[in-house]
Amino acid sequence: MVGMLVLTVQYKSVEMADLKIIMTARGINIMGCDLFYGLGFTTKNDGGEEWRPWDTFQQVPIIQDEQTPWKLFRALKIISMIVTAIFIFGLALCSKTSFLILITLSSEGTKTIPDDLKPVTLLCIGCSLITSSVLLLLKSLWKSFFKTAKVPSLKTSAFVLSFEFLVSGGAAILTIIAMPHLDIITNITILNSIAVYSALLQVAAQCSAKNTNRYMVPSILSFILILTGYCLFVVLYILKDLNNIQTATWVGLAVGGSFLVSLNWWENYFRVISERSSSTFLKELCKDMRRGQNFLHILSSLLRVAVTTCVLGAYVPLTNLDWEVVTSIPLRETKIIAITVGVQLISSALCHWFALSATKMHVMRRCFILPLYLASLAVVALLVVPVIVYYENHRISFNETVTNFTAYCNIVDGRNLSASVFEDLVNDVTRTLCFLDMSDMMDISILTGSAAAWWLGLILATLHLWYLNLHRIQRTQDLFTRRLYEGAFIEQSLLLNVRFEIPSKQKRKKRDVGIEPVMVYLCATMWHETYDEMMNIIISIFRLDKYRPKEKQMEQDFSFEAHIYFDDAFQYVDGTPERHLNEYAETLVQIIKEVYGIFTNMGDSFFKNQHQIPEQRIIRTPYGGRVVITMPHGNDIVIHFKDKELIRHKKRWSQIMYLFYLLGFKLTTKYYKEWKNGGDEKWLMQEAQKEKHNTYLMALDGDTDFQPGAVVLLIDRLRMYPRVGAVCGRIHPTGAGPTVWFQKFEYAVSHWLQKTAEHVFGSVLCSPGCFSLFRAEALMDDNVMKTYSTKSTEAGHYIQYDQGEDRWLCTLLMKQGWRVEYTAASDAYTNAPEEFKELYNQRRRWGPSTMANVVDLLGSSTIISHRNRSMSKPFMFYQLFSLFSGILAPATIVLMVAGSLSFLWEFDSAASIVISVIPPAIYLGLSFKLKSDTQITIAAVLSIIYAFLMMVVTLAIIGSMVKEKTILTPSSIFVIAMAMIYIITALLHPQEFYLVFYGLLYIICIPSAYLLLTIYSMVNMNNVSWGTREAKPTPGGPKPAAAPQTTTQKAQGTFQRFLSWFRCCNKYKGPQHRQLHEENIITPEPEPLELQPQNTIVDGIFPEGEQGQIEPIYNVPIPCWVRKLQSVTEDMNLVEERLDEEEVEFWKELQVKYLEPLPNDKEKQKKIADDLKSLRNKINFAFFMTNAMWLVATFTLQIYSEIFAIRIPIYNLTLDRTDNEIEINPVGLMFILGFALSVVLQFIGMFYHRMNTIMHYVAFMDTETRKPKPKKQKKYKKGKKKDTTFNEEVEESSSSNQTTSTDSVSEVSEVSEVSGSQGNPDESEDSDNSEDEELFSQGPEEGIMV
């Protein structure tokens, strides 16, 4: 029976050209209507054509990550870890060794530094103690002056300062008074004993948490070992001479000072105890400390400096020393002391920074804990081994007449200074050991025992660090309790300062501890994207679906849902009363169907059946229509087709549409409904606030191409920094041609220097809408979403609101105190304008919009500096200078061209300025009269002329440097400095270094970009059209008129179209009703239709082989857009559903209040056009008048150069002064210096940001869970049957349950992945794909249907 049905259908498919009959997984589909259900096979491939065994070749787009150099990043990760570990170990070694040398030089009897110069070394020890406090004081003052600083209560201040007083006093007593009188080994190891109070507080904290289990054992053992070390230390020194009160005093001060220093990290455990305590006093005290942290840091830093100064100032006179020697230090001693203290200060600060880097890179065990543990042992070896070597050499040189260490000490004491500083230092270290008898095994054993006990006590006190759960990137305040490091005992302070967590018995996931899952909505806006552009973003979304599957989610860090808002998706079609989807919208659905098939069937074996795409949903909505696609791994893509006659179109209104839908309707409404049903208001507010904080919106363009890892890296920034409202990634323009090459370098410089400087020193001003992640809490803040939905009513609104909507949204966020960040580790690719005209039109929008938003920010600088902790007044001044530089860019280019003319043809400077002004002045005047296309044509011609001039000037400057044998001229220094900055910056971005070569094109195009383009954008400011993608033909446009029809044909066609439209537009009534309805409309086999006349208005259909002939045309009615789309996507069954009534009401209200289509009011449009011209004229007058005044000032200074000019002599390569001089006017010099300062600041910001980016890379690659590799597919064995035949499958399907859908068909088994193609199984077995590549480019799960 089934075979007969198949034959019948095949016959009818050939004979009836007017009916489209398709065999699907659900049955037979005629004219878009499913008639029968239950057939479990298909005879068509993904393209809708009949499957043929000889035509199995595919054209598959690139799905894998072809852009990211993961091998380079993997090597970078290994190198970074090794370098970090070596630096932490080496810097800790340098810091501790140099500090102990200062202690040794402060001892009595040393020869390297005479006794009368001891105050100098003691002063250096004091500097080591207070340097970190001074740095913290400066940082806290900066935050207090330019950001925020809340004053804590008097009770809290007294409580904190009491601890700070004890700690600073203990540190000064230990290092300045006690340690210079102890031996070098004790000095090295007694610093490990400062973990004694931390060990005791760990026990107390775990007792407060009722955690009396095995995790308390290390803390108890640590406390016992440190006390044992103290006992052995006291025994070693006191028993030497029981009557020596002075020695007992030094020992007592050492023990007491170390106990006081150990109080330094009380906050680390006080936080844990207060959280688990029922005491309201402790909780409020801890809260007040966090709130007034900056102010407390200022007070504590000042107190530490004061206490250290008092101890140092009091101790020096008590030892009969004089401070006057500080002013008269011999040169030799000055060098020794300066180098030692310099190494100590610098190495301590750098060690602290590298330690932070190691923890943020998630390599804490390998690169942080282990190197710091080994540092103390290495210091012992570094200082003691030379003593042993010198002692043994001395014994050998004296034929072993020196029998013991005491005799050797007598010889060392009698020596004078040698020529070698190293030998003198070794002898001074030896003198500290002379108090003990190093030949006595008892002394050695006691000394070794105390040192080992203290070292093991430190290890046990910090044993919890090995099990500390870290996030991928964390804030410093979350990693370390105190911002302060202790330079005198760097490794102990770093280890004990790490946040303390009470270990739990429960085994928790390493990455998920403390991380709440977030919801990410991917929101893309589309309009007239091409097939390739839409393919890019759809593949990217499907990649993310595989990377974070919804059904079997291995990672619980985030889930996502994709929404695509398609503007102007409908058009009128002849023959139907309703609007239909245009070709762009239909192409998008076709692309989704193709990509779905690729991700579902990728990796299947050679003769396996292709997986059937499950049913998807299509819904009519008040704004147009919606298609909901459930991707292979459970996540949804929702395509919103907007009808501009029903809802307002253009990009900003699409953004407002999804903001209100996702954040207003989906997020907020459910809590309101629960509250109406009697829910607890306080609890609901907390839950709503929590969800707002953990809900992110990713803004995308319709052509953005990204990898899943890029999304994760953006999420990291928002997850870890609660006041970050938006974060953007590195945008890479794609395309070909000189225009794109120019933009590649321009984008690179903008991201390398400008965005990094904004990120480091303040806040990024623009997070581009093509690839940015926004926090829902920030978007829902006051004056953000509500203001963003404001309709433009004034001329300035059209420029600021609609021409650069992403920058305006960031402006609103920053005004409310939210920070915008930039993550260079997150890459995205988007198409750039490839035509000169399209580029000019794009920048015509961006230029005025950027200026308007910056002026808006500067006008509110006082309020913003108060609200936004990231944007200080110095940063606002930096933005003011950048704005001023941008305004003067045309005049600066004119002066540069004038200098070029003067340099090439030796014109007078004033005449060169006049000549250089003429072309841009003429272009400016013509631009007010000519059309924009003509303006662009003229600009293109002038750009070519300027490009040749710039090339000649560049070569001439290089030739001048070679001819005059000097680079010490202002122009040469400027060119070389800029080249060096760009080259070094590119070297720090190795994967983008090739972009430097595009810089040559960028240089010669500078006049076009900063002079002609500025003139064009300013003059055409009143043009508020989009400017890009507008040249493409509008789908559904007017078609050639058809031949007229007869009256009978018109009546018959109208009646048939009306019946078809009435049937198709019935609301969805459930599957059963639909199936019965469709079965009822099955008609008997129709009789052959009579041919209609040739002028009938239908589309001609040409059978294969007869394209040249005109086939008879039938008057078939056009179905509605739902049925038409269902017929277009025949392999992806779209089931119509009804929209929820509550959501229908929401859309209607939203349309009325915010998104109602704007009326075509000619008078209002004319008024706005006149206002835009008026605004254009005012701004242009001020803009170009400023440039003119700058040129006039420069021209005047050139005329009177003999009076005003600054003359700078020229030096040759040997730094000999020549007879030539260069004259520079003061105004130009000030501008050059300001520009140079801004570039230097940008370079510093770039370097700092680059280090953080490397940390983020390494942390991501080290923490992101790798999915297990799929099982290998077994090789084909000859004689083994691999699959059933088609007929056997038909028999199986006919004998099984007729209502079984593709979702319930057999099990799926894993097979090996084939990257985008089906190849030889043997070759796929031998392939070696790196794990890091799989990490970012996991292909879809593979499976075979049995």
Side-chain angles (χ1 to χ4, degrees):
M1 179 64 186
V2 174
M4 288 296 293
L5 177 61
V6 171
L7 291 176
T8 303
V9 171
Q10 293 286 350
Y11 173 78
K12 293 301 178 185
S13 300
V14 175
E15 293 295 325
M16 298 176 61
D18 58 321
L19 291 178
K20 194 172 185 180
I21 305 177
I22 303 167
M23 293 290 298
T24 68
R26 295 182 55 85
I28 301 178
N29 182 287
I30 301 180
M31 292 295 294
C33 299
D34 294 325
L35 304 184
F36 306 141
Y37 292 85
L39 297 181
F41 60 89
T42 179
T43 59
K44 295 186 178 292
N45 59 16
D46 292 337
E49 300 174 353
E50 184 178 356
W51 184 84
R52 298 178 178 87
W54 52 266
D55 189 13
T56 59
F57 312 106
Q58 303 181 53
Q59 183 178 2
V60 180
I62 297 175
I63 296 176
Q64 306 298 328
D65 185 3
E66 301 289 338
Q67 304 283 352
T68 309
W70 289 114
K71 291 183 178 179
L72 175 64
F73 290 157
R74 188 165 62 250
L76 181 64
K77 169 190 170 183
I78 297 173
I79 294 173
S80 300
M81 292 169 58
I82 294 174
V83 169
T84 303
I86 292 175
F87 267 89
I88 290 177
F89 176 78
L91 291 170
L93 184 64
C94 292
S95 174
K96 182 58 67 67
T97 303
S98 57
F99 182 75
L100 291 170
I101 289 175
L102 289 175
I103 296 290
T104 303
L105 295 178
S106 302
S107 303
E108 296 180 0
T110 58
K111 297 296 182 65
T112 306
I113 301 296
D115 289 341
D116 58 340
L117 294 178
K118 299 303 179 185
V120 180
T121 56
L122 293 175
L123 181 62
C124 292
I125 295 173
C127 290
S128 300
L129 292 175
I130 67 172
T131 297
S132 58
S133 299
V134 173
L135 295 176
L136 180 61
L137 175 63
L138 296 176
K139 185 176 182 180
S140 301
L141 287 174
W142 171 274
K143 290 187 175 182
S144 299
F145 290 155
F146 299 114
K147 296 185 180 180
T148 58
K150 297 182 179 179
V151 180
S153 64
L154 184 61
K155 177 176 56 180
T156 303
S157 300
F159 182 78
V160 173
L161 293 180
S162 62
F163 277 97
E164 294 297 324
F165 176 79
L166 295 175
V167 171
S168 57
I173 292 171
L174 176 64
T175 58
I176 296 175
I177 300 177
M179 289 179 65
H181 300 90
L182 305 178
D183 66 276
I184 189 66
I185 297 178
T186 302
N187 284 337
I188 295 172
T189 56
I190 196 174
L191 297 179
N192 293 326
S193 68
I194 62 178
V196 57
Y197 196 66
S198 295
L200 187 61
L201 287 177
Q202 287 177 18
V203 176
Q206 297 190 58
C207 288
S208 68
K210 300 179 181 180
N211 193 18
T212 57
N213 51 28
R214 65 181 184 275
Y215 296 107
M216 296 178 60
V217 174
S219 302
I220 297 173
L221 289 177
S222 172
F223 184 72
I224 294 173
L225 283 172
I226 294 175
L227 291 182
T228 303
Y230 281 130
C231 294
L232 293 175
F233 166 61
V234 171
V235 168
L236 179 63
Y237 272 81
I238 299 298
L239 293 183
K240 280 289 182 180
D241 188 359
L242 295 175
N243 297 323
N244 192 339
I245 306 232
Q246 192 176 20
T247 301
T249 302
W250 306 139
V251 171
L253 290 175
V255 174
S258 60
F259 260 102
L260 292 177
V261 173
S262 66
L263 297 173
N264 193 27
W265 299 278
W266 63 274
E267 295 178 53
N268 202 356
Y269 311 99
F270 178 76
R271 171 185 55 84
V272 179
I273 294 173
S274 63
E275 288 175 355
R276 290 165 173 78
S277 174
S278 58
S279 173
T280 307
F281 171 76
L282 294 180
K283 292 182 181 295
E284 290 297 325
L285 183 63
C286 188
K287 183 179 180 181
D288 195 28
M289 287 169 53
R290 288 196 302 267
R291 184 170 55 246
Q293 193 176 42
N294 275 338
F295 194 81
L296 289 174
H297 283 160
I298 294 174
L299 296 179
S300 62
S301 299
L302 292 174
L303 180 62
R304 279 176 173 253
V305 173
V307 170
T308 304
T309 304
C310 291
V311 172
L312 186 61
Y315 176 69
V316 170
L318 289 176
T319 55
N320 298 321
L321 297 174
D322 192 357
W323 283 110
E324 292 182 359
V325 298
V326 177
T327 60
S328 58
I329 309 173
L331 180 61
R332 179 179 182 273
E333 286 73 12
T334 301
K335 291 182 178 178
I336 294 173
I337 295 174
I339 292 174
T340 306
V341 72
V343 170
Q344 204 283 326
L345 298 179
I346 295 174
S347 59
S348 299
L350 289 177
C351 185
H352 177 250
W353 186 85
F354 275 99
L356 290 177
S357 304
T359 53
K360 290 187 176 183
M361 287 193 299
H362 213 275
V363 289
M364 192 171 184
R365 296 179 181 179
R366 293 162 285 183
C367 302
F368 176 79
I369 302 175
L370 195 58
L372 292 179
Y373 280 167
L374 298 177
S376 295
L377 300 180
V379 172
V380 173
L382 185 62
L383 293 178
V384 175
V385 168
V387 174
I388 298 174
V389 171
Y390 271 74
Y391 171 62
E392 292 296 330
N393 290 339
H394 193 78
R395 289 182 58 193
I396 294 173
S397 63
F398 283 85
N399 298 321
E400 299 186 357
T401 57
V402 179
T403 57
N404 55 32
F405 190 76
T406 303
Y408 175 68
C409 287
N410 295 329
I411 296 174
V412 171
D413 287 337
R415 284 188 174 181
N416 296 320
L417 286 176
S418 65
S420 173
V421 176
F422 179 75
E423 184 177 351
D424 293 336
L425 290 175
V426 173
N427 291 333
D428 289 338
V429 171
T430 305
R431 287 188 185 93
T432 65
L433 296 170
C434 290
F435 173 77
L436 306 173
D437 188 0
M438 301 304 295
S439 302
D440 187 357
M441 289 303 298
M442 179 62 71
D443 288 359
I444 295 176
S445 299
I446 295 175
L447 182 62
T448 304
S450 64
W454 283 332
W455 186 69
L456 291 175
L458 175 66
I459 291 178
L460 290 175
T462 56
L463 192 64
H464 65 278
L465 299 182
W466 292 85
Y467 308 100
L468 184 65
N469 293 292
L470 297 177
H471 306 316
R472 181 176 295 124
I473 57 171
Q474 279 188 292
R475 294 174 294 178
T476 304
Q477 64 189 35
D478 294 333
L479 288 170
F480 295 91
T481 303
R482 300 172 61 86
R483 297 181 186 174
L484 197 65
Y485 70 91
E486 304 295 337
F489 18 86
I490 185 67
E491 70 269 28
Q492 292 86 4
S493 67
L494 290 175
L495 289 170
L496 295 172
N497 196 26
V498 177
R499 170 173 46 87
F500 174 73
E501 283 185 353
I502 297 178
S504 175
K505 295 180 180 179
Q506 299 178 353
K507 293 183 178 179
R508 297 175 294 181
K509 286 187 177 181
K510 184 178 180 182
R511 292 185 59 245
D512 294 339
V513 177
I515 294 182
E516 296 179 350
V518 299
M519 180 65 188
V520 180
Y521 291 104
L522 275 64
C523 301
T525 55
M526 285 190 179
W527 183 41
H528 282 178
E529 279 72 17
T530 64
Y531 176 90
D532 293 332
E533 291 171 345
M534 288 189 281
M535 179 67 77
N536 285 337
I537 191 171
I538 297 302
I539 288 178
S540 299
I541 295 174
F542 272 78
R543 282 197 205 107
L544 190 60
D545 172 64
K546 177 173 176 53
Y547 189 76
R548 283 294 185 270
K550 185 176 182 180
E551 298 170 347
K552 300 178 181 178
Q553 196 165 357
M554 298 173 59
E555 303 289 339
Q556 299 296 330
D557 52 351
F558 78 93
S559 55
F560 80 96
E561 186 176 283
H563 290 259
I564 299 176
Y565 291 81
F566 207 111
D567 250 323
D568 194 14
F570 287 84
Q571 65 181 1
Y572 281 109
V573 177
D574 294 336
T576 177
E578 70 168 13
R579 288 162 63 83
H580 282 244
L581 293 178
N582 58 33
E583 61 179 354
Y584 293 105
E586 291 182 354
T587 300
L588 175 61
V589 179
Q590 289 282 6
I591 288 173
I592 292 178
K593 185 191 71 172
E594 294 175 16
V595 175
Y596 199 112
I598 293 170
F599 274 80
T600 304
N601 299 310
M602 182 184 299
D604 279 352
S605 297
F606 191 56
F607 285 119
K608 290 290 192 307
N609 290 330
Q610 299 292 303
H611 294 293
Q612 199 67 33
I613 300 177
E615 285 184 350
Q616 309 297 341
R617 292 168 287 167
I618 185 170
I619 305 170
R620 301 173 189 271
T621 62
Y623 57 81
R626 179 189 301 174
V627 173
V628 182
I629 306 294
T630 301
M631 291 179 283
H633 297 277
N635 297 292
D636 289 340
I637 299 181
V638 183
I639 309 170
H640 304 263
F641 294 113
K642 295 173 57 180
D643 189 341
K644 68 178 182 180
E645 293 190 356
L646 301 176
I647 196 167
R648 200 172 300 173
H649 66 295
K650 292 193 176 179
K651 184 174 182 178
R652 181 162 73 95
W653 300 112
S654 293
Q655 293 175 336
I656 294 169
M657 179 178 171
Y658 65 67
L659 287 175
F660 277 95
Y661 174 58
L662 299 175
L663 304 183
F665 178 74
K666 295 190 69 173
L667 194 152
T668 309
T669 306
K670 58 185 178 184
Y671 292 105
Y672 176 76
K673 291 169 61 178
E674 192 169 347
W675 174 73
K676 293 286 287 184
N677 294 331
D680 182 56
E681 183 177 0
K682 184 177 180 181
W683 181 83
L684 289 174
M685 288 180 62
Q686 292 177 351
E687 289 298 311
Q689 183 65 26
K690 180 180 176 182
E691 185 173 358
K692 288 193 295 183
H693 185 77
N694 295 322
T695 300
Y696 307 149
L697 268 68
M698 169 159 280
L700 298 169
D701 277 352
D703 59 352
T704 305
D705 183 12
F706 60 91
Q707 295 294 327
V711 179
V712 177
L713 292 168
L714 292 181
I715 292 175
D716 286 342
R717 303 300 300 187
L718 293 188
R719 190 196 300 275
M720 295 304 168
Y721 299 93
R723 289 306 299 174
V724 174
V727 59
C728 62
R730 168 71 164 95
I731 310 301
H732 299 264
T734 59
T739 304
V740 177
W741 299 341
F742 169 84
Q743 293 173 85
K744 283 179 179 290
F745 187 79
E746 182 192 31
Y747 273 65
V749 172
S750 174
H751 286 85
W752 289 352
L753 296 174
Q754 183 177 345
K755 277 199 184 304
T756 54
E758 292 175 350
H759 172 96
V760 171
F761 300 117
S763 175
V764 176
L765 299 189
C766 179
S767 187
C770 60
F771 189 69
S772 294
L773 194 65
F774 294 86
R775 190 188 301 274
E777 182 183 4
L779 295 171
M780 300 171 73
D781 203 353
D782 296 337
N783 303 320
V784 179
M785 251 175 75
K786 187 68 174 179
T787 306
Y788 191 65
S789 60
T790 303
K791 184 171 64 174
S792 300
T793 56
E794 301 176 5
H797 295 171
Y798 287 91
I799 296 174
Q800 183 179 5
Y801 296 0
D802 297 326
Q803 297 297 286
E805 69 290 331
D806 45 7
R807 184 174 287 271
W808 183 43
L809 181 58
C810 293
T811 300
L812 297 176
L813 291 175
M814 288 182 285
K815 282 185 173 182
Q816 286 301 116
W818 294 95
R819 172 175 166 82
V820 182
E821 289 194 348
Y822 163 60
T823 301
S826 180
D827 296 293
Y829 301 84
T830 183
N831 285 2
E834 297 185 355
E835 301 294 334
F836 187 84
K837 174 184 176 181
E838 193 175 6
L839 174 64
Y840 261 53
N841 283 328
Q842 182 193 67
R843 302 308 167 88
R844 181 254 301 159
R845 287 190 292 111
W846 289 2
S849 171
T850 299
M851 188 179 302
N853 281 281
V854 173
V855 170
D856 189 6
L857 284 174
L858 293 175
S860 308
S861 59
T862 303
I863 299 176
I864 293 176
S865 299
H866 178 72
R867 287 183 178 178
N868 198 320
R869 293 180 295 175
S870 300
M871 303 184 70
S872 61
K873 290 184 178 179
F875 176 74
M876 302 302 288
F877 179 78
Y878 165 77
Q879 293 299 329
L880 176 63
F881 179 79
S882 299
L883 176 65
F884 188 69
S885 301
I887 292 175
L888 294 180
T892 305
I893 299 301
V894 169
L895 293 176
M896 183 184 69
V897 173
S900 304
L901 297 176
S902 178
F903 179 81
L904 291 175
W905 291 286
E906 298 182 353
F907 289 164
D908 181 70
S909 298
S912 299
I913 294 177
V914 174
I915 296 173
S916 301
V917 168
I918 294 175
I922 295 175
Y923 178 66
L924 175 63
L926 292 176
S927 297
F928 281 96
K929 298 297 182 181
L930 300 177
K931 295 182 179 179
S932 59
D933 290 349
T934 309
Q935 297 175 36
I936 294 176
T937 303
I938 297 174
V941 174
L942 290 176
S943 298
I944 296 173
I945 298 174
Y946 278 124
F948 280 106
L949 178 62
M950 289 297 297
M951 184 181 297
V952 173
V953 170
T954 303
L955 296 176
I957 292 175
I958 297 174
S960 174
M961 289 188 290
V962 175
K963 180 181 179 181
E964 298 181 4
K965 297 181 180 181
T966 180
I967 59 173
L968 301 179
T969 62
S971 59
S972 301
I973 293 174
F974 179 79
V975 171
I976 293 174
M978 293 301 298
M980 291 299 298
I981 287 176
Y982 286 146
I983 291 174
I984 295 173
T985 302
L987 289 173
L988 292 175
H989 299 75
Q991 76 278 15
E992 301 177 26
F993 182 79
Y994 69 95
L995 296 175
V996 171
F997 300 104
Y998 296 139
L1000 302 176
L1001 176 64
Y1002 180 83
I1003 290 173
I1004 65 175
C1005 292
I1006 286 177
S1008 176
Y1010 294 96
L1011 175 62
L1012 303 178
L1013 179 55
T1014 303
I1015 294 174
Y1016 176 78
S1017 62
M1018 295 301 297
V1019 172
N1020 293 275
M1021 185 186 299
N1022 59 312
N1023 184 358
V1024 293
S1025 63
W1026 200 246
T1028 54
R1029 301 188 188 275
E1030 292 184 343
K1032 298 180 181 179
T1034 305
K1039 297 180 180 180
Q1045 293 179 291
T1046 63
T1047 305
T1048 305
Q1049 292 171 349
K1050 288 182 180 179
Q1052 182 181 7
T1054 302
F1055 181 74
Q1056 290 177 348
R1057 285 193 294 271
F1058 176 79
L1059 288 179
S1060 175
W1061 174 80
F1062 179 81
R1063 291 174 181 174
C1064 291
C1065 294
N1066 284 333
K1067 297 295 182 182
Y1068 180 78
K1069 299 181 180 180
Q1072 296 180 351
H1073 177 85
R1074 177 180 169 207
Q1075 182 178 354
L1076 293 174
H1077 172 73
E1078 290 174 343
E1079 288 177 355
N1080 291 335
I1081 64 172
I1082 298 177
T1083 57
E1085 183 177 337
E1087 298 179 359
L1089 300 177
E1090 296 181 2
L1091 296 181
Q1092 300 292 335
Q1094 294 294 328
N1095 57 358
T1096 304
I1097 307 179
V1098 295
D1099 294 331
I1101 301 177
F1102 297 94
E1104 295 185 7
E1106 300 181 5
Q1107 284 87 347
Q1109 301 178 7
I1110 300 178
E1111 195 69 14
I1113 302 174
Y1114 302 94
N1115 194 346
V1116 179
I1118 299 176
C1120 59
W1121 72 268
V1122 173
R1123 295 295 179 263
K1124 184 179 179 183
L1125 189 60
Q1126 288 174 333
S1127 65
V1128 170
T1129 58
E1130 51 195 20
D1131 293 333
M1132 182 174 67
N1133 190 23
L1134 297 178
V1135 179
E1136 186 176 1
E1137 292 185 355
R1138 182 193 295 268
L1139 196 64
D1140 182 73
E1141 291 297 332
E1142 183 181 5
E1143 186 174 345
V1144 171
E1145 187 65 23
F1146 157 74
W1147 285 114
K1148 290 180 178 179
E1149 293 177 357
L1150 181 67
Q1151 286 172 263
V1152 172
K1153 188 168 184 179
Y1154 293 105
L1155 298 177
E1156 190 174 9
L1158 296 175
N1160 190 13
D1161 190 341
K1162 297 295 184 180
E1163 293 184 0
K1164 184 176 180 180
Q1165 292 176 1
K1166 185 178 183 304
K1167 181 181 181 302
I1168 292 296
D1170 294 337
D1171 292 344
L1172 283 170
K1173 287 184 179 180
S1174 176
L1175 180 65
R1176 187 270 312 267
N1177 295 335
K1178 294 177 182 178
I1179 294 178
N1180 275 260
F1181 176 79
F1183 184 90
F1184 291 109
M1185 184 58 67
T1186 304
N1187 280 269
M1189 294 173 65
W1190 179 262
L1191 290 174
V1192 170
T1194 305
F1195 179 78
T1196 305
L1197 291 174
Q1198 291 292 342
I1199 293 177
Y1200 299 99
S1201 59
E1202 296 181 357
I1203 301 174
F1204 298 104
I1206 299 175
R1207 292 173 176 81
I1208 300 177
I1210 299 177
Y1211 292 85
N1212 56 26
L1213 296 178
T1214 60
L1215 299 181
D1216 296 329
R1217 181 170 179 175
T1218 63
D1219 297 333
N1220 299 326
E1221 291 181 337
I1222 291 182
E1223 297 180 352
I1224 303 177
N1225 66 77
V1227 179
L1229 180 62
M1230 292 296 295
F1231 187 79
I1232 291 175
L1233 292 178
F1235 179 77
L1237 178 61
S1238 66
V1239 172
V1240 170
L1241 289 176
Q1242 289 178 354
F1243 183 79
I1244 295 173
M1246 178 276 303
F1247 187 82
Y1248 180 81
H1249 188 272
R1250 198 60 191 160
M1251 295 301 102
N1252 288 328
T1253 300
I1254 293 175
M1255 296 178 203
H1256 203 174
Y1257 268 131
V1258 176
F1260 180 85
M1261 298 175 69
D1262 199 60
T1263 57
E1264 187 68 6
T1265 303
R1266 291 177 174 84
K1267 297 180 182 179
K1269 288 186 177 181
K1271 298 178 181 179
K1272 299 283 187 178
Q1273 182 180 354
K1274 294 182 179 180
K1275 295 183 179 181
Y1276 171 75
K1277 294 183 179 180
K1278 188 174 181 181
K1280 298 291 183 180
K1281 195 170 185 179
K1282 191 162 180 81
D1283 200 0
T1284 57
T1285 61
F1286 177 80
N1287 292 330
E1288 290 172 340
E1289 290 185 3
V1290 173
E1291 292 175 2
E1292 288 183 9
S1293 62
S1294 62
S1295 62
S1296 62
N1297 188 355
Q1298 295 296 317
T1299 61
T1300 301
S1301 66
T1302 56
D1303 292 334
S1304 61
V1305 188
S1306 329
E1307 60 184 9
V1308 178
S1309 61
E1310 295 292 323
V1311 296
S1312 61
E1313 180 178 4
V1314 181
S1315 300
S1317 62
Q1318 298 174 353
N1320 191 339
D1322 295 338
E1323 294 178 1
S1324 63
E1325 275 192 6
D1326 296 335
S1327 63
D1328 184 19
N1329 297 327
S1330 67
E1331 291 181 348
D1332 293 316
E1333 291 175 356
E1334 292 179 4
L1335 178 65
F1336 277 75
S1337 55
Q1338 291 285 340
E1341 290 184 0
E1342 303 82 343
I1344 56 174
M1345 298 187 66
V1346 181

